Amino acid sequence: MVKKILQELGITKNTRYENQYLNDTNIRTAIYMAVVVIALEIWMIIRYVYKRPGLSFMDYFDGETNYIILLSSAVIVLTFGIRHKYLENERKRCIPGIITAVIFLLLDIPLFVRFVYVRKDIMNFRELLSASKYLFLLSVLILSYLIYEFFLYEISHRRSAIYGQYLNVIFALICLGFGIETSVYDVSRERQILCFVTMAIYAACLLIWKPYASFIILSVFFLYFYHEWEPIMNANESPHAQKILEANQINYFTFWIALVMVSVSIYQQRLTEAKKDENLTKAHDLMKKLAVQDELTGISNMYQFVQDAERIMKDHPDDRIYLFINIDNFKNYNDKYGYPAGNRFLCTVADIISKGFPDDPVARQSDDHFVVLTTTSSLETRIREIRNKVIAINPEIYVDLKVGSYMPGKNITESTKLIINPGCQPEQENPAGVITDPHIAVDRARFACGLIKNKFDKHYMEYDENVDRDFHKRQYVVNNIDTAIENGYIQVYYQPVVWSEAHTLCSCEALARWIDPEYGFLSPGDFIPVLEEYRQIHKLDKCIWEMVCCDIHDVTEAGLKPIPVSLNISRLDFELMDTPAVLEDLVKKYKLHKHDIHIEITESALADDMGRLQRDLARIKNDGFSIWLDDFGSGYSSLNVLKDYSFDVLKIDMKFLSSFNDNEKSKIILNTIVDLAAKLGMYSLTEGVETNDEAVFLQEIGCGRLQGYYFGKPMPLQDIVAKIKDGTYIIKKLG
Ligand code: C2E
Ligand code: CA
Ligand code: CA
């Protein structure tokens, strides 16, 4: 309550913004008022000259002292106002302003001399001093303005507004003084007092004081004027004039109160506006900040980075390099310490990177990815220093940085040759063939970084020509998978799986091939990981499964025994489609037996337990398909997977055979796995058999099925059918 009252009275302190707002609005009002005063005074001077024809120049000069004073002060205030509002950014001396001020100063001096000279006989020193006070104030005003022009022209906008407020005060005092003098002079001749009242309004408009200040200042002037007026009024003996003056007196007091109230109300209104404006400005600033700043770390966001990069690359297209920085193992950091600690860690890393590249644009792209645009000079050293600092943040957990880089100026010519993106915009390049779009450049640096993701000993990878070729191949794959399926570029190759005893044909594995008119023969390594990354793998798998089912159907129709086929399945297939339903439909459509279809799932797909995957696998198994565990032993989670799921066949990864001849331990391991499989009720199959020795060994340890180049490479259907027909392969089913 007390606070509210103090606020209404204007006793509470305003914020810096509010004061600035009030000062600025006062200067704006001063400009309007100065224009009004100038127009008015010019009119008065013309009127004066017109009414008194034939006077000498000096007489005119003497008679119009007050008009000239008011006119000059208004011109100075107007000059300052315009300069403050419109020329503030120039931060130069305003020559026209200086010339104007000097002219008025030169006019002011003879005016002053003449004033004293004319009146020295009729006034004593005190009266002279009092009568010449406007001239004095005018001199102060002009000199203050000149001081500003010569010494203070470089001060900030805020300080300049405060200075303008000071000039306004002098202008207001001149107006009030002028009003008092003219009105007292008029009253003494039984005439109006309106001049003072008018000037009081000017002054009130010129300066929106705080309520209590408005009250004090206006009251002081009204009382002073009343004090000057009272003896004149009493001295007047005419009853008619007495009546007029009495009426004037009552109106005078009413006016005083009204004017004080109006000033207070205008002040409050402006203060409310200032508060609103301040909130708006704050909101605007915040939004502006958010638009260019990463919310979490406070460094630039990608929007700002792209703007900066475009600007810099325009001037330095040849020697700048984009860096993409990824925090290795950040996921584990989050898992171990929680998200708030993870966020703090990201802020620290952002700080380290920013300080490592103090003059370059640095931004957080997303999650734990940062981007930098820098120069190549001592780049390796700088990256090493940053890495060391990041590693040292928390020595308890392994965290490192992986950095990929792309230098547009290196002008990789392959990029243009290899881009065949029918649906995509052509990449933005300058005439020299340098990629200028920061998004593309960052994408390439990120790609290079991705290549060393799982390489323990590599921390820096540059996007070179080989990477470029790979990059475009990947882009091509993602953009063309649908076309490839439609146009039959995707084909199935079948690799035989044989019984280890008689080497008769047990089944085949269906392996995808992409035979492309542009790239030629693409092996699964070129497209499977990309399609998985871009969540398109289900399209390929569905297509392969359909082709396989169709082939089995055709072979059977042609009178051969149906060949059982194992299909590869990706863990994403379970997320991207209703896999059990797709398989079920295909089997129905081609009238196949479910035991002729095996599903191969890799152990890595099962490592992260997913409810849906587990349910779907159980459904597939219950539907009658057999489930094979692929690549057993290639990951870390092999034994857990065996505990949690049940499989019909265990496919032992080919890496155990790679050191078959050199490492006796491989044999022991193979033996153990085969035993383990048998104990868990599974058949075993070893992949990658390339020699007779391997085949003999595997047969001896009890591995029932074998697959590998020794028995046949993956081949098109017609080749395998031909080999069945000519007796190379004899189909022999289980049981
Ligand atoms: P995988 O399922 O482990 O397939 C076995 C891979 O080993 C095949 O490579 C095959 O050509 C190769 N291979 C077979 N015998 C030998 C041998 O004696 N020595 C050597 N060095 N290699 C041998 P491929 O066809 O390049 O397939 C690679 C991987 O791509 C496959 O590994 C599988 O994970 C994936 N893949 C292939 N086709 C498909 C598919 O249609 N769908 C899905 N989701 N993945 C597929
Ligand atoms: Ca497989
Ligand atoms: Ca395999």
Side-chain angles (χ1 to χ4, degrees):
M1 179 70 182
V2 177
K3 201 176 163 212
K4 198 105 193 113
I5 293 170
L6 291 179
Q7 216 165 25
E8 289 299 324
L9 291 173
I11 291 171
T12 48
K13 213 168 167 260
N14 290 342
T15 64
R16 199 174 163 157
Y17 185 91
E18 287 162 358
N19 283 333
Q20 168 79 18
Y21 186 91
L22 291 170
N23 286 344
D24 277 338
T25 22
N26 277 345
I27 289 177
R28 198 170 53 230
T29 322
I31 294 176
Y32 306 149
M33 283 316 178
V35 170
V36 173
V37 170
I38 290 167
L40 218 65
E41 295 318 306
I42 290 175
W43 175 43
M44 294 308 288
I45 292 169
I46 293 171
R47 202 169 146 267
Y48 186 86
V49 174
Y50 183 73
K51 281 208 164 178
R52 293 170 181 76
L55 285 183
S56 74
F57 176 74
M58 280 324 281
D59 288 337
Y60 281 128
F61 194 64
D62 184 36
E64 289 166 50
T65 311
N66 281 347
Y67 300 144
I68 292 172
I69 291 170
L70 219 53
L71 178 69
S72 356
S73 51
V75 170
I76 294 298
V77 166
L78 178 67
T79 314
F80 176 84
I82 291 174
R83 177 179 187 0
H84 171 82
K85 253 184 93 67
Y86 304 107
L87 306 175
E88 193 248 343
N89 290 337
E90 309 237 325
R91 298 251 188 270
K92 275 192 273 188
R93 288 199 185 103
C94 173
I95 304 300
I98 294 173
I99 294 172
T100 315
V102 170
I103 290 173
F104 282 110
L105 192 66
L106 292 178
L107 202 66
D108 183 30
I109 296 165
L111 214 58
F112 191 79
V113 173
R114 172 119 185 118
F115 184 84
V116 175
Y117 177 76
V118 169
R119 302 194 185 191
K120 71 174 189 312
D121 298 332
I122 47 166
M123 288 181 175
N124 62 27
F125 179 70
R126 211 187 67 81
E127 282 168 332
L128 256 180
L129 200 70
S130 153
S132 63
K133 56 187 173 268
Y134 324 114
L135 276 170
F136 171 71
L137 283 173
L138 176 62
S139 313
V140 172
L141 184 70
I142 297 173
L143 286 172
S144 300
Y145 177 78
L146 284 171
I147 288 173
Y148 178 83
E149 282 299 359
F150 278 103
F151 305 108
L152 305 171
Y153 63 98
E154 276 186 312
I155 57 177
S156 68
H157 183 80
R158 189 178 71 84
R159 280 157 159 243
S160 163
I162 295 172
Y163 198 79
Q165 197 68 327
Y166 153 72
L167 296 185
N168 279 357
V169 170
I170 304 175
F171 184 42
L173 293 178
I174 294 174
C175 288
L176 286 166
F178 171 82
I180 290 175
E181 178 157 296
T182 312
S183 283
V184 167
Y185 177 76
D186 277 352
V187 169
S188 66
R189 281 166 182 71
E190 296 176 24
R191 291 200 305 237
Q192 49 108 17
I193 60 158
L194 274 179
C195 185
F196 168 68
V197 169
T198 315
M199 286 300 152
I201 297 178
Y202 276 174
C205 291
L206 262 179
L207 294 170
I208 302 303
W209 292 297
K210 288 194 159 206
Y212 71 90
S214 295
F215 177 77
I216 293 170
I217 295 171
L218 288 174
S219 300
V220 164
F221 276 92
F222 270 82
L223 286 172
Y224 176 69
F225 177 59
Y226 187 75
H227 169 261
E228 296 280 299
W229 172 22
E230 185 73 358
I232 300 166
M233 198 178 84
N234 293 340
N236 209 313
E237 278 152 23
S238 144
H240 174 69
Q242 278 286 351
K243 276 211 174 102
I244 294 174
L245 288 171
E246 257 176 47
N248 271 346
Q249 204 173 28
I250 295 167
N251 288 339
Y252 175 79
F253 280 106
T254 324
F255 189 80
W256 166 29
I257 293 162
L259 189 61
V260 170
M261 293 328 285
V262 168
S263 320
V264 169
S265 134
I266 293 177
Y267 169 82
Q268 292 297 2
Q269 199 184 328
R270 288 213 180 144
L271 193 65
T272 316
E273 279 167 19
K275 283 187 198 313
K276 265 192 211 156
D277 208 67
E278 184 174 14
N279 286 339
L280 272 175
T281 311
K282 272 187 192 158
H284 179 255
D285 286 352
L286 187 73
M287 278 166 72
K288 224 166 98 182
K289 221 167 144 191
L290 285 181
V292 299
Q293 204 180 54
D294 174 51
E295 218 178 325
L296 175 68
T297 59
I299 62 172
S300 297
N301 64 10
M302 278 312 279
Y303 174 78
Q304 180 68 49
F305 180 81
V306 167
Q307 311 276 316
D308 292 343
E310 277 174 350
R311 185 172 37 77
I312 293 172
M313 288 308 283
K314 238 184 223 156
D315 300 333
H316 310 277
D318 297 333
D319 66 339
R320 297 296 148 129
I321 186 161
Y322 284 88
L323 303 182
F324 181 92
I325 304 175
N326 178 31
I327 306 179
D328 203 18
N329 206 34
F330 181 65
K331 187 181 173 298
N332 285 0
Y333 192 97
N334 256 346
D335 290 347
K336 185 167 176 190
Y337 298 105
Y339 277 95
N343 285 347
R344 283 197 296 280
F345 185 80
L346 283 178
C347 291
T348 316
V349 174
D351 192 49
I352 292 172
I353 300 176
S354 299
K355 285 185 179 144
F357 299 95
D359 304 320
D360 303 318
V362 176
R364 186 167 79 115
Q365 195 209 35
S366 61
D367 311 315
D368 55 340
H369 305 149
F370 296 86
V371 288
V372 181
L373 177 64
T374 184
T375 55
T376 44
S377 85
S378 61
L379 185 61
E380 267 180 44
T381 320
R382 286 188 287 163
I383 292 177
R384 198 177 323 113
E385 279 169 11
I386 288 172
R387 267 190 61 216
N388 289 342
K389 281 182 189 161
V390 170
I391 292 167
I393 299 176
N394 187 348
E396 280 178 24
I397 185 165
Y398 161 79
V399 175
D400 204 335
L401 295 186
K402 298 266 178 191
V403 182
S405 73
Y406 173 66
M407 196 172 172
K410 273 204 173 169
N411 195 6
I412 298 155
T413 46
E414 283 294 323
S415 358
T416 30
K417 277 194 255 157
L418 287 174
I419 308 165
I420 310 126
N421 291 350
C424 289
Q425 290 286 320
E427 294 185 3
Q428 190 187 329
E429 291 187 7
N430 69 10
V434 176
I435 295 284
T436 54
D437 184 341
H439 293 105
I440 296 178
V442 166
D443 229 32
R444 293 186 175 187
R446 184 173 66 108
F447 182 72
C449 184
L451 294 178
I452 48 170
K453 198 171 178 208
N454 296 319
K455 301 203 169 129
F456 243 88
D457 52 336
K458 284 203 90 169
H459 299 101
Y460 179 73
M461 179 79 185
E462 197 176 338
Y463 187 99
D464 57 18
E465 268 191 48
N466 289 335
V467 177
D468 188 58
R469 209 169 297 124
D470 207 24
F471 179 74
H472 284 98
K473 207 196 271 178
R474 281 169 61 98
Q475 274 194 334
Y476 181 80
V477 164
V478 182
N479 293 329
N480 291 279
I481 176 66
D482 294 318
T483 326
I485 291 173
E486 269 167 36
N487 296 350
Y489 304 156
I490 304 293
Q491 295 186 11
V492 191
Y493 272 40
Y494 294 92
Q495 185 177 30
V497 176
V498 301
W499 297 108
S500 61
E501 289 204 340
H503 297 181
T504 46
L505 189 69
C506 149
S507 64
C508 286
E509 177 175 7
L511 295 159
R513 298 289 180 264
W514 180 326
I515 297 154
D516 191 83
E518 195 65 43
Y519 278 94
F521 190 91
L522 293 174
S523 65
D526 293 325
F527 55 88
I528 302 276
V530 187
L531 293 175
E532 285 186 336
E533 191 182 324
Y534 288 88
R535 301 175 74 84
Q536 305 280 310
I537 186 70
H538 61 298
K539 294 181 180 170
L540 175 104
D541 280 342
K542 209 174 157 193
C543 157
I544 293 285
W545 301 347
E546 172 122 35
M547 287 197 279
V548 168
C549 291
C550 184
D551 284 349
I552 300 176
H553 174 263
D554 290 351
V555 165
T556 324
E557 287 284 290
L560 286 177
K561 272 194 201 168
I563 318 161
V565 177
S566 54
L567 304 173
N568 285 291
I569 197 164
S570 160
R571 82 189 293 249
L572 283 173
D573 289 334
F574 295 95
E575 281 179 44
L576 299 169
M577 59 185 176
D578 185 355
T579 301
V582 171
L583 290 168
E584 186 77 18
D585 290 350
L586 285 173
V587 169
K588 258 190 211 145
K589 184 174 170 188
Y590 292 98
K591 301 187 186 73
L592 306 182
H593 293 292
K594 286 175 184 163
H595 52 76
D596 285 334
I597 301 289
H598 316 135
I599 305 299
E600 288 191 12
I601 184 149
T602 58
E603 58 166 45
S604 58
L606 304 166
D608 283 337
D609 188 29
M610 282 165 52
R612 174 157 182 200
L613 197 150
Q614 210 160 4
R615 272 196 313 277
D616 279 358
L617 264 187
R619 234 173 97 194
I620 293 172
K621 201 168 162 58
N622 289 340
D623 280 348
F625 299 98
S626 58
I627 312 267
W628 294 15
L629 179 62
D630 202 358
D631 297 347
F632 180 80
S634 62
Y636 310 104
S637 52
S638 317
L639 295 174
N640 272 339
V641 166
L642 289 184
K643 192 160 60 61
D644 297 338
Y645 297 84
S646 66
F647 304 97
D648 301 284
V649 173
L650 194 75
K651 280 188 90 168
I652 303 166
D653 195 73
M654 63 184 82
K655 80 169 182 203
F656 295 107
L657 285 183
S658 59
S659 52
F660 182 79
N661 292 322
D662 326 316
N663 193 343
E664 276 303 304
K665 282 184 189 160
S666 301
K667 292 179 188 160
I668 300 170
I669 294 172
L670 278 167
N671 204 343
T672 316
I673 296 175
V674 171
D675 269 358
L676 179 74
K679 281 188 183 131
L680 292 172
M682 291 180 278
Y683 298 109
S684 44
L685 185 165
T686 305
E687 299 185 79
V689 181
E690 291 183 357
T691 62
N692 186 43
D693 286 355
E694 290 166 358
V696 170
F697 170 79
L698 289 162
Q699 192 251 324
E700 278 171 9
I701 62 167
C703 178
R705 307 170 202 219
L706 308 175
Q707 177 184 353
Y709 293 169
Y710 181 65
F711 305 104
K713 289 194 171 178
M715 59 192 99
L717 178 75
Q718 51 282 24
D719 291 8
I720 209 144
V721 169
K723 284 180 193 278
I724 292 169
K725 282 186 178 161
D726 72 13
T728 314
Y729 296 130
I730 301 158
I731 304 175
K732 188 167 182 294
K733 289 202 191 176
L734 186 64

